[in-house]
Amino acid sequence: MDVPSTIDFSRVENAQAWADAANVKRPWRADFFAAIVHELISLGFPSASVLELGSGPGFLAERVLQALPDVTYTLLDSSAAMQELARVRVGRGVGVQFVGADFKHDGWADGLGSFDAVATMQAVHELRHKRHAVALHQAVGGLLRSGSIYLVCDHIAGPGGMADHELYMTVSEQADALACAGFADVSVVLEKDGLVLHRGRKAA
């Protein structure tokens, strides 16, 4: 059974409340934003095409676009309320695209094109059960060009992290899900205070 969500992010007040609290509750999220920016810079393509899954109110997008203003950045989220917050935060630049889609549903990736990198920040658990993670990662693999990177940050299940082992994964489970989906060179980029960032590479 999937784990029901306790928050309806389609409601404007809920989206705003989450946005107001997220970086206060976990100020170390800034370290993960910086790590993701570093990984994108390391691609060596200032005009890289980047997709963010579960982009929320645009915190990560804002950091990436500040550091790499020439990237083409696609923010994908199922919540129109979150997307509106993101539009206010990052603007409507030429290289910025907003896509309303739910990666829990089949066909979410249809027509998106291909990317040099895909990133996601605290969103994979919104699949509502960890057994869906491999399928999500496989779908992402279909969007990535050869040699491109997939950056996945989410909560950790276990000591110092989350108690629900159906919704959340351990560090090794997250790595295994990426490897099972066909990603190569899976490694931990950053682990801190209950969050972990993994990098996987699309095989050439």
Side-chain angles (χ1 to χ4, degrees), residues 35-183:
I36 290 171
V37 167
H38 177 78
E39 290 293 319
L40 296 177
I41 290 173
S42 72
L43 287 172
F45 304 122
S47 58
S49 177
V50 180
L51 168 66
E52 183 184 353
L53 301 181
S55 49
F59 291 127
L60 175 59
E62 180 180 38
R63 304 315 195 276
V64 172
L65 291 165
Q66 287 171 348
L68 291 163
D70 294 325
V71 299
T72 300
Y73 202 96
T74 300
L75 298 89
L76 184 148
D77 203 284
S78 62
S79 165
M82 285 291 195
Q83 290 282 63
E84 186 55 35
L85 293 175
R87 285 188 180 92
V88 172
R89 179 162 282 107
V90 304
R92 301 171 183 264
V94 174
V96 179
Q97 179 182 9
F98 295 89
V99 174
D102 189 342
F103 58 66
K104 295 192 295 293
H105 296 162
D106 293 341
W108 67 267
D110 293 350
L112 286 178
S114 58
F115 299 89
D116 297 305
V118 175
T120 181
M121 179 78 188
Q122 287 175 255
V124 171
H125 68 272
E126 291 300 338
L127 291 167
R128 310 315 304 171
H129 198 287
K130 65 183 181 183
R131 72 178 183 278
H132 302 304
V134 172
L136 173 68
H137 298 334
Q138 288 172 332
V140 170
L143 297 172
L144 283 167
R145 302 180 180 113
S146 296
S148 299
I149 59 173
Y150 184 25
L151 301 166
V152 182
C153 178
D154 208 0
H155 299 278
I156 299 168
M162 298 297 191
D164 191 331
H165 283 259
E166 294 185 330
L167 190 59
Y168 303 99
M169 292 181 279
T170 65
V171 173
S172 62
E173 284 176 328
Q174 293 186 43
D176 289 346
L178 288 164
C180 287
F183 286 91

